Amino acid sequence: MAWLYTVRSVALQQVVFFIAIYAFRHNRRALMILLKSLLLLGFVYAAYGLKQEYLGLSSWEETWLYSDPKRFELMFQWGRLRIASLCGDPTTFGILMAGFSMLCLALLLGPTREVQKIVLGVLMVLALWSMAYSGTRTAFMLVPIGGIFYCGLILNKR
């Protein structure tokens, strides 16, 4: 049941994304600014998550983490700290990175230049890499589900 509540909030964000795409269909410049902003934010979140994994938490993050024993119990599982990056919890971060990696994959498979394909491939790998450190099972399920959803979208061109 908790999985349903988590996915519901993320699904709502995806619906808002598609509504925004529909709203921007005649304004290509604004759409490109939005898309580049999303890619930049996704990169920042992924890079900060990898920073937390390899360089450790900042002092204020450690203070926040250790201030509540329940929070620490939720974040420290199986002998390691789950990474949350700039999100409030690792589950949100993992789901965000799963969605971001699928966005990068969809753009990568589209009509883009070679340099853009390389950048999108690197962003996708960074997102999947940082998603793995979130330790959330939901994110791991969203990647194949997102791939299946994408295949369903491209099969019906209308």
Side-chain angles (χ1 to χ4, degrees), residues 2-20:
W3 184 84
L4 179 66
Y5 286 113
T6 302
V7 171
R8 184 183 65 184
S9 64
V10 173
L12 179 64
Q13 293 171 2
Q14 297 299 317
V15 169
V16 169
F17 176 76
F18 285 112
I19 291 171

Side-chain angles (χ1 to χ4, degrees), residues 24-147:
F24 288 120
R25 72 185 184 278
H26 297 300
N27 191 349
R28 184 174 169 84
R29 185 174 181 278
L31 177 63
M32 295 309 291
I33 290 171
L34 175 67
L35 191 57
K36 289 176 183 178
S37 299
L38 286 174
L39 292 173
L40 178 65
L41 283 172
F43 169 74
V44 168
Y45 273 65
Y48 197 77
L50 292 173
K51 176 261 178 206
Q52 285 180 332
E53 176 64 28
Y54 291 106
L55 301 178
L57 299 176
S58 304
S59 60
W60 65 271
E61 291 171 322
E62 285 182 351
T63 303
W64 175 79
L65 179 64
Y66 297 127
S67 66
D68 183 8
K70 292 279 188 195
R71 181 183 304 135
F72 179 75
E73 185 180 315
L74 290 171
M75 299 274 285
F76 191 81
Q77 294 181 358
W78 296 88
R80 65 179 314 277
L81 186 64
R82 297 172 64 201
I83 299 303
S85 185
L86 299 169
C87 297
D89 61 281
T91 302
T92 303
F93 175 61
I95 292 171
L96 179 70
M97 288 296 101
F100 179 65
S101 67
M102 291 297 97
L103 172 66
C104 290
L105 179 64
L107 293 172
L108 179 78
L109 295 175
T112 55
R113 294 188 305 254
E114 195 68 31
V115 173
Q116 291 172 329
K117 287 186 185 293
I118 292 169
V119 169
L120 289 167
V122 167
L123 288 175
M124 185 179 73
V125 168
L126 284 175
L128 291 171
W129 187 13
S130 61
M131 178 196 79
Y133 291 122
S134 72
T136 180
R137 298 173 306 241
T138 304
F140 285 100
M141 288 306 301
L142 286 178
V143 172
I145 290 170

